[in-house]
Amino acid sequence: MRTDPQHVAPANPKNRRRATRAVLAVTVTGTVAASGIYIATANAGETGTAIPGALQAEAFSAQSGAQTESTGDTGGGTNVGWLAGGDWLRYDGVQVGATVAARIASDNTAGGTIELRTGTPTGALLATIPVAKTGGWQKWVTVTATAKPASGKQNVVAVMKSNATSDFVNINWFKLLPDNTKNPTKDPSVTPTKAPTKAPTTAPTAAPTKTATIPAGGWVDVDQALWKEQLADFEKLKPAPIKNNPVKVPEFHVNCTIAKESPDDAIVFPNLPGASHMHTFFGPDVIGASTTTKDLLAAKSTSCQTKGDNSAYWMPQLTQNGKPVPLNGFRIYYGSRLKDPSTTKILPPGLVMIAGDAKRQEPTPKNSGINQFWCAGAAETGRSADGNWPKCAPGGRLIISITFPDCWDGKHVDSPDHKSHVGPTGPDGTCASGKFPVAIPSISELFTYESQGGEGFKLASGLPSSAHMDMMNGWDPAVLGPLVRTCLNQGVKCGTTPTFD
């Protein structure tokens, strides 16, 4: 049965996105000359009534910025929506031909284009599909264009380009129109579009790449046999006796120096070198776009000082007037915010996760509580002109911390948004009473910069509210186990080892 569409036009298109954001997008001053692409062999899953020869938009292998929803279009099923400038959809192993039709809807007068590129969001341009207002987010039309053919199967990325500061297009499907076999203007399922009378006066520029990609499938199961084995070994451990009257806070920490800086993200953009914004990395020197947790465990060295922690940690690079801001220090605190930290287990093998939201672009005035940068070591004396960055008194340093959840679902080591397999406590304040029954260490990553703040600051992902941190588990469970059992389970503060000397 077809479900009614949830996506309806609000009074103001700028308020359409579920989480308001400002999008840095390309300048589009007119509808660009139509070109196109034919996608012939994608492994597309059909939903609703199948459209002959169509590649469903939701059959992407990876994406950035997209969400799916029930569609009101002919055939029912779902469409991809909430697409703004810089968002993209990737389809793997497809054949490129000479023509394409795209089924789209829009209620944003700004319009824009859908660029089809090879391999990555900045790959070779194959086609540009014009997008104009159709009269509603579920008012569907089919637009057509011609393409620059390419030989062989390849990955094709549909990149959204618009000067709108909000979403500008929905996509239901791409129509497959093989070379010399069908005239799109005579296909009854296609509404042809007129070629523009003139080219734009301003050439489009590349929109920034963003995070939050959803791989095909999205959910990655934990190796249950290995997890049960590691958990059994952990349960056998006896905590070291408490002595020297330590602080009664469940905590230990890891200190790291920078391993590298590069525009890679093995969680969000796996196997796509250079597809992300610039990140600052901590951990083994094997970190790159294709790194896996197995690679981390096999690494011979790491920039983190706790032997046994080969985990990788990263955050968007911070710059001032375009230059990287040096770090004074980076520390990862492992702790517990639960009422009873004795239930905390070790991290599951293969776990990856992200805290924060790279697409959140909101002002952060003082005490806003949204990924707030603050001053450490001295008082805040003022704010930057835009209100987002503190100014610290002499001796102060710019600092930020983001914390991961305490609870895990016990089944998956990754999820479509890299967050949904971990989460908060249940109704009674424990992990056991909610959707995430396994208590794990709560990780807080603390960045301290050699700066007193002020003007000209920017994260590679945008405003301070976009601050986010990634973690890929590379712990040796034989090292992590005693730290959790002695320090966290007993509710006491340790340093970098499970001792109290």
Side-chain angles (χ1 to χ4, degrees):
M1 179 181 292
R2 188 174 107 188
T3 56
D4 294 330
Q6 300 171 349
H7 201 173
V8 295
N12 184 348
K14 292 184 179 180
N15 295 331
R16 177 172 168 249
R17 198 168 269 283
R18 289 170 182 163
T20 305
R21 65 175 181 173
V23 179
L24 298 176
V26 300
T27 300
V28 180
T29 58
T31 306
V32 300
S35 57
I37 183 173
Y38 158 55
I39 308 173
T41 59
N43 182 20
E46 297 284 355
T47 55
T49 302
I51 306 298
L55 168 63
Q56 297 296 324
E58 67 272 18
F60 46 75
S61 300
Q63 64 93 354
S64 176
Q67 299 182 57
T68 59
E69 61 180 345
S70 299
T71 189
D73 196 12
T74 302
T78 61
N79 64 257
V80 175
W82 285 273
L83 292 167
D87 294 341
W88 54 261
L89 308 166
R90 193 187 83 208
Y91 303 91
D92 290 351
V94 299
Q95 182 72 42
V96 177
T99 54
V100 69
R103 187 72 168 173
I104 65 170
S106 175
D107 202 34
N108 193 324
T109 57
T113 60
I114 303 170
E115 290 186 354
L116 298 169
R117 294 181 174 271
T118 57
T120 72
T122 57
L125 180 65
L126 297 169
T128 305
I129 302 171
V131 174
K133 182 177 179 178
T134 64
W137 297 116
Q138 293 295 326
K139 297 292 185 181
W140 295 94
V141 300
T142 307
V143 296
T144 64
T146 56
K148 179 188 295 184
S151 61
K153 294 182 180 180
Q154 57 189 289
N155 298 344
V156 173
V157 184
V159 184
M160 311 303 132
K161 296 296 182 75
S162 176
N163 65 347
T165 57
S166 59
D167 313 312
F168 78 102
V169 66
N170 284 358
I171 306 174
N172 194 2
W173 43 257
F174 294 99
K175 185 74 182 220
L176 307 184
L177 300 174
D179 286 347
N180 304 320
T181 60
K182 187 178 290 186
N183 183 341
T185 62
K186 294 184 179 180
D187 184 344
S189 71
V190 172
T191 303
T193 56
K194 295 182 179 180
T197 57
K198 61 180 181 178
T201 57
T202 304
T205 56
T209 343
K210 295 177 292 181
T211 56
T213 301
I214 302 179
W219 295 95
V220 179
D221 294 337
V222 68
D223 183 334
Q224 286 288 353
L226 180 58
W227 167 237
K228 289 178 180 178
E229 178 185 334
Q230 292 182 359
L231 192 59
D233 290 341
F234 170 75
E235 299 291 358
K236 295 175 185 176
L237 293 174
K238 295 188 180 298
I242 298 173
K243 59 182 181 179
N244 296 333
N245 193 29
V247 176
K248 296 300 193 297
V249 174
E251 178 188 290
F252 64 90
H253 66 261
V254 175
N255 295 322
C256 303
T257 57
I258 295 176
K260 64 181 290 189
E261 293 187 290
S262 67
D264 298 320
D265 193 322
I267 295 176
V268 175
F269 299 118
N271 304 313
L272 288 174
S276 182
H277 49 244
M278 189 66 72
H279 281 110
T280 301
F281 290 89
F282 308 85
D285 56 9
V286 299
I287 297 172
S290 302
T291 304
T292 66
T293 54
K294 290 183 179 179
D295 296 327
L296 298 179
L297 290 169
K300 301 300 182 183
S301 62
T302 176
S303 70
C304 295
Q305 297 167 11
T306 299
K307 186 176 181 180
D309 182 15
N310 271 17
S311 300
Y313 311 89
W314 61 95
M315 179 182 171
Q317 184 187 67
L318 179 66
T319 59
Q320 184 179 25
N321 299 321
K323 296 181 180 181
V325 180
L327 270 174
N328 174 265
F330 173 65
R331 174 172 287 185
I332 309 107
Y333 287 96
Y334 282 78
S336 175
R337 295 171 294 173
L338 303 177
K339 293 180 180 179
D340 181 10
S342 68
T343 61
T344 304
K345 312 299 182 186
I346 58 173
L347 297 173
L351 179 70
V352 301
M353 53 185 175
I354 296 175
D357 185 354
K359 299 199 303 182
R360 189 172 191 172
Q361 304 288 341
E362 301 177 26
T364 52
K366 187 175 182 179
N367 300 323
S368 67
I370 306 171
N371 290 1
Q372 188 77 61
F373 279 78
W374 73 94
C375 294
E380 179 178 314
T381 60
R383 305 288 289 182
S384 59
D386 62 8
N388 292 321
W389 304 91
K391 296 180 181 179
C392 306
R397 292 189 178 97
L398 203 60
I399 190 170
I400 187 172
S401 175
I402 292 183
T403 301
F404 291 80
D406 293 86
C407 306
W408 172 52
D409 70 2
K411 300 175 182 178
H412 306 99
V413 291
D414 198 5
S415 54
D417 59 1
H418 315 297
K419 300 177 182 180
S420 295
H421 55 303
V422 292
T425 58
D428 66 358
T430 71
C431 295
S433 66
K435 293 171 53 180
F436 307 95
V438 181
I440 58 174
S442 177
I443 303 172
S444 294
E445 300 182 8
L446 188 69
F447 295 78
T448 308
Y449 294 92
E450 286 287 3
S451 174
Q452 294 178 355
E455 305 294 340
F457 285 88
K458 183 181 179 182
L459 285 172
S461 54
L463 294 177
S465 57
S466 71
H468 58 284
M469 300 177 187
D470 301 53
M471 190 271 179
M472 182 177 284
N473 180 26
W475 276 97
D476 179 348
V479 176
L480 180 61
L483 284 163
V484 173
R485 180 61 93 196
T486 295
C487 311
L488 304 191
N489 288 169
Q490 296 189 113
V492 290
K493 184 180 179 68
C494 300
T496 58
T497 60
T499 60
F500 305 101
D501 297 328

